[in-house]
Amino acid sequence: MTSDANPYLTSLNCPVPYAESERVLLGHGAGGRLTAELLEDMILPTLDGPQEQPGPLEDAALLPDHPELVVSTDSFVVSPLFFRGGDIGSLAVHGTVNDLAMRGAWPIALTVALIIEEGLELSQLRSVLTSLGKAAREAGVPVITGDTKVVGRGAADKIFINTTGVGRVLSSLRPSAALAQPGDAILLSGPIGLHGTTVLSTREGLGFEADIASDSQPLHRLVRAMARLGGDVHTLRDPTRGGLAAALNEIARDARIAVEIEESALPVPTPVAAACDLLGLDPLVVANEGCLVAFVAPSAADEALALMRTQPEGSGAVRVGQVPREGQPGRVVIRTLVGARRVVDMPLGELLPRIC
Amino acid sequence: MKYLDEYRDPALALQLLDELHRTATAPWQIMEVCGGQTHTLVRQGIDELLPAGIRMVHGPGCPVCVTPLETLDRAMAVAARPGVILTSFGDMLRVPGSSTDLLSLRARGADVRVVYTPMDAVRLAAELPDREVVFLAVGFETTAPANAMAVLHASRLGLSNFSMLVSHVLVPPAMTALLESPDCEVQAFLAAGHVCAVMGWTQYEPIAARYRVPIVVTGFEPLDLLEGILMAVQQLERGQHTVENQYVRAVRRSGNTEAQDVLRRVFQVTDRSWRGIGTLPASGLELTDEYAEFDAAQRYDIGGMRPEEHPECIAGAILTGAKLPTDCTAYGVRCTPRHPLGAPMVSAEGTCAAFHAAGRTRQARSPA
């Protein structure tokens, strides 16, 4: 290394293979294996959460001593702020509403906290907030309190939004990642890969953005439509960061079950498939913001599909797989188009487009 | 999904598999040169459905994997310099050098950016005249024309703050080197369709004739690979050794002559080191003297590297098809995508990463 090299960077002389362990990488926030490591090794041990509620990490938590109430919080840092099919404002509503819905809850109220970068154009801020308000009204959930901070230029990327939601559990729905069981049918409410490929294409100007739009939408009405199935709905999960691959791996781990899906049954829209092919990405690991995966008792699977299809956001619902009665717990397997089986692993971290 | 579905039809795949089972009467070892093809084979599990005697040997065609350690160390040394923006394709960022990788350098403050085409790097240089923009230009004949175009564009714009760290490699010399090896067990090749889309296949004809090996120019979809394997097996069974083209929808015998002209203007053939394999004569591309001003290796004082491979990594044996990832004692234990010891575990096209992502843990079956 030459003498004018950045002194903060590591020396290049050590022959020992290097693994970054002292700093946070972007991949730590991508919802895959790195995120799980950060949670398990650092965040959860230091927070020393309520010991009476051990178990899987869910999209939302039951409120202690109030079993009918559910709370969830999420932060939104998407770039660009506006993309086809949505923006950071509507996403901040849909994301938290959906996290509540995945525990079978109907949203009661939202809080909104804004962290705004100095220099953001007021017209952009107004557009984001207008969209946020519209999304909340359409979801039927009031924003009851909030907070606003402004930080110096460079200390944030235009605007970060945190939303916290409180919800009330719907009738007899008690879905949990740990409740998926052998024999369960695995249902998917709609196509996968739309949000991630839309945002990537818009951010990088890849040219696919004319053909695709984010699937960002609230899913609480879809979940309400399934409520009559009660305890037959074992698990609900919206496959956001890390995509369907991460969601299925988390459920397989938390419920200690095997999962098997059919590649031919997966709804992958043509432009998503084309974009993923070009970039070397797997649609299974690309983020979604408007679909859910449900593990349902086999006897209720057909009715669940029919109920999902009564709602616009579930009109494309399909059965994509099942929980085999025998199989290695924690392992997700896909039956490929040519009839072979392969493991679907937990994605590692940041999506890195390949060279060619 | 017409243009993709046609090449992913399960019923047609079963027909091709049936025909393969009827055709193969002897064990054959076929190398797919390209990492993209390795990825499809393993991702779809095609190699496990083939007749028992047919063994697919995974070749050196992952551009990320064969980029020399010294080039990576140089890229990191450049990225560490103040004022530099180091750009490359995404999957280069996680490849371990001697002591770190570009993603980790980015977390420590280096300005490392993913680009999708080399023209993005040229645009960046034009937009930021006070910064030095360096593009890490790796890959086979597939990516070289676009990189050559980027140099021509930067030259036309008169950009003095753009340069490339060039480490291009060429497929035919690698195939020849493999065939010259006394341990070579490869009896036929699937040539990479996209390389041939640029270069055509005339360079492969003397190789097929001299070493008496069938070479089938093959695409990347599941049906492409099944048909390519079938065509190779049919030749082997008949004792033929010609170059055939499975990928007729994309490849002409003479290739893309315009792209070849651009390549010849900007690059010249040179000896090149391949990670895990060693130096192969006339196996790489470097900038010609006319465009040497865009050569980052000359622009920056980045000599004196002492690259060190991890002693446990058997990347060379993996890249030449001599061993499978599951033969490696470190595979899946001390070497994972999270902590790769060598490049084949990094790129999606790397054989080790493809095996790991597909959950391969056992020894693949031996030829009958």
Side-chain angles (χ1 to χ4, degrees):
Chain A
M1 188 185 293
T2 51
S3 57
D4 54 350
N6 186 333
Y8 295 105
L9 301 179
T10 184
S11 157
L12 289 165
N13 296 324
C14 171
V16 177
Y18 178 89
E20 178 62 64
S21 58
E22 296 174 353
R23 289 171 195 269
V24 173
L25 304 176
L26 264 182
H28 281 113
R33 194 178 298 275
L34 290 180
T35 305
E37 282 179 14
L38 192 68
L39 274 169
E40 289 162 16
D41 298 344
M42 182 174 293
I43 295 176
L44 295 179
T46 52
L47 293 181
D48 195 21
Q51 296 304 307
E52 66 274 19
Q53 284 193 325
L57 292 173
E58 302 279 5
D59 288 330
L62 300 176
L63 216 55
D65 304 324
H66 295 276
E68 78 285 8
L69 292 180
V70 172
V71 66
S72 180
T73 191
D74 208 340
S75 297
F76 298 84
V77 295
V78 65
S79 173
L81 300 181
F82 302 92
F83 43 86
R84 195 153 176 248
D87 56 75
I88 192 171
S90 54
L91 197 63
V93 172
H94 298 158
T96 292
V97 165
N98 291 347
D99 283 347
L100 294 171
M102 295 310 109
R103 293 307 300 275
W106 186 261
I108 300 171
L110 283 182
T111 72
V112 175
L114 308 173
I115 296 174
I116 306 166
E117 183 189 17
E118 173 190 27
L120 178 68
E121 291 174 20
L122 286 172
S123 60
Q124 289 210 15
L125 179 60
R126 184 175 295 110
S127 295
V128 166
L129 294 173
T130 302
S131 173
L132 191 152
K134 180 167 176 275
R137 281 191 296 280
E138 287 175 354
V141 55
V143 176
I144 54 167
T145 186
D147 180 49
T148 304
K149 296 282 190 295
V150 177
V151 297
R153 191 183 285 271
D157 184 9
K158 297 184 178 68
I159 184 169
F160 299 156
I161 302 178
N162 171 273
T163 50
T164 297
V166 176
R168 188 183 304 280
V169 171
L170 287 159
S171 64
S172 58
L173 277 182
R174 291 291 185 275
S176 166
L179 295 179
Q181 295 169 21
D184 276 0
I186 304 172
L187 313 178
L188 188 64
S189 68
I192 57 170
L194 284 165
H195 178 74
T197 45
T198 301
V199 169
L200 183 66
S201 185
T202 308
R203 184 170 65 214
E204 309 292 349
L206 301 180
F208 294 104
E209 57 270 26
D211 302 320
I212 43 181
S214 168
D215 61 342
S216 177
Q217 60 183 336
L219 297 169
H220 57 311
R221 295 186 179 95
L222 177 64
V223 171
R224 184 175 61 182
M226 302 170 74
R228 77 161 74 154
L229 298 173
D232 282 343
V233 179
H234 297 155
T235 304
L236 296 173
R237 182 63 61 100
D238 60 336
T240 53
R241 292 172 310 158
L244 191 60
L248 294 178
N249 270 284
E250 287 164 4
I251 294 166
R253 177 196 63 200
D254 293 343
R256 298 182 180 86
I257 52 162
V259 165
E260 185 164 318
I261 56 172
E262 291 281 339
E263 186 173 11
S264 59
L266 288 176
V268 182
T270 302
V272 171
C276 287
D277 262 16
L278 193 74
L279 296 169
L281 302 177
D282 185 345
L284 282 172
V285 307
V286 176
N288 312 280
E289 290 291 347
C291 66
L292 63 81
V293 62
F295 285 60
V296 177
S299 57
D302 288 342
E303 189 179 0
L305 267 182
L307 290 170
M308 289 164 85
R309 289 172 183 159
T310 62
Q311 302 298 308
E313 54 272 36
S315 58
V318 287
R319 182 175 182 146
V320 295
Q322 62 170 353
V323 179
R325 298 201 180 272
E326 291 178 1
Q328 186 175 333
R331 175 158 281 197
V332 180
V333 172
I334 188 168
R335 194 167 166 82
T336 70
L337 292 175
V338 299
R341 284 182 168 82
R342 74 170 164 90
V343 172
V344 177
D345 205 2
M346 189 77 163
L348 178 65
E350 212 178 337
L351 297 182
L352 295 174
R354 75 175 177 216
I355 181 169
C356 62
Chain B
M1 210 194 291
K2 188 169 188 317
Y3 65 103
L4 288 178
D5 282 348
E6 286 174 359
Y7 307 101
R8 297 179 177 181
D9 184 321
L12 286 175
L14 288 178
Q15 281 181 28
L16 284 167
L17 276 167
D18 279 351
E19 198 168 343
L20 255 172
H21 280 267
R22 284 198 304 274
T23 305
T25 63
W28 302 112
Q29 308 209 47
I30 304 168
M31 172 177 276
E32 84 281 1
V33 178
C34 171
Q37 293 174 333
T38 305
H39 185 64
T40 303
L41 281 175
V42 177
R43 187 164 183 271
Q44 286 291 327
I46 290 172
D47 53 339
E48 297 195 329
L49 298 174
L50 297 176
I54 309 282
R55 185 165 82 90
M56 297 308 295
V57 182
H58 311 303
C62 164
V64 174
C65 304
V66 298
T67 299
L69 193 56
E70 186 173 1
T71 300
L72 288 160
D73 286 351
R74 284 182 169 185
M76 287 176 235
V78 171
R81 295 172 67 99
V84 166
I85 302 171
L86 193 285
T87 60
S88 194
F89 299 124
D91 51 3
M92 289 304 299
L93 267 55
R94 207 186 283 139
V95 188
S98 293
S99 57
T100 187
D101 60 63
L102 287 165
L103 277 185
S104 299
L105 272 187
R106 188 173 73 181
R108 288 174 171 265
D111 196 344
V112 176
R113 303 189 191 183
V114 173
V115 290
Y116 296 87
T117 81
M119 292 298 281
D120 292 344
V122 175
R123 273 191 287 273
L124 200 59
E127 288 166 9
L128 301 171
D130 297 337
R131 304 287 299 276
E132 287 281 335
V133 177
V134 181
F135 178 67
L136 175 54
V138 301
F140 288 89
E141 293 92 327
T142 328
T143 52
N147 294 346
M149 284 298 295
V151 170
L152 291 177
H153 193 58
S155 177
R156 271 196 297 271
L157 293 175
L159 294 179
S160 59
N161 64 330
F162 175 79
S163 60
M164 275 188 180
L165 197 53
V166 179
S167 187
H168 279 298
V169 282
L170 302 170
V171 170
M175 288 168 66
T176 305
L178 286 166
L179 289 164
E180 289 285 347
S181 163
D183 301 327
C184 178
E185 296 178 339
V186 175
Q187 294 163 297
F189 285 100
L190 304 186
H194 53 8
V195 169
C196 296
V198 175
M199 304 303 289
W201 67 76
T202 54
Q203 295 177 80
Y204 297 87
E205 288 170 334
I207 298 174
R210 179 174 176 190
Y211 297 97
R212 304 180 66 81
V213 288
I215 300 175
V216 181
V217 178
T218 304
F220 302 88
E221 295 298 325
L223 293 192
D224 289 328
L225 283 156
L226 282 168
E227 191 175 27
I229 294 166
L230 177 62
M231 289 165 76
V233 170
Q234 285 169 336
Q235 282 206 49
L236 289 164
E237 292 280 343
R238 293 184 200 128
Q240 292 179 329
H241 44 81
T242 60
V243 181
E244 282 188 288
N245 182 22
Q246 180 277 330
Y247 204 29
V248 287
R249 66 185 185 277
V251 177
R252 289 179 300 173
R253 182 169 182 271
S254 55
N256 181 337
T257 50
E258 287 180 10
Q260 292 165 27
D261 289 343
V262 172
L263 275 186
R264 276 190 289 271
R265 274 185 70 187
V266 176
F267 293 124
Q268 60 192 10
V269 174
T270 183
D271 296 348
R272 177 71 71 202
S273 169
W274 294 55
R275 189 170 193 177
I277 297 176
T279 299
L280 302 179
S283 71
L285 296 173
E286 65 179 2
L287 288 163
T288 59
D289 292 343
E290 187 180 354
Y291 295 100
E293 63 184 297
F294 295 102
D295 188 348
Q298 293 191 22
R299 186 174 297 195
Y300 300 100
D301 173 21
I302 46 176
M305 293 288 160
R306 293 183 292 123
E308 297 271 358
E309 291 283 5
H310 190 276
E312 220 177 345
C313 180
I314 60 167
I318 299 291
L319 292 168
T320 53
K323 287 192 173 175
L324 287 169
T326 43
D327 296 333
C328 176
T329 54
Y331 168 80
V333 186
R334 290 174 298 286
C335 183
T336 64
R338 174 78 175 90
H339 293 292
L341 298 186
M345 187 56 94
V346 178
S347 166
E349 295 182 7
T351 304
C352 300
F355 269 56
H356 196 273
R360 297 278 177 92
T361 53
R362 62 185 168 77
Q363 179 81 41
R365 62 171 177 257
S366 302

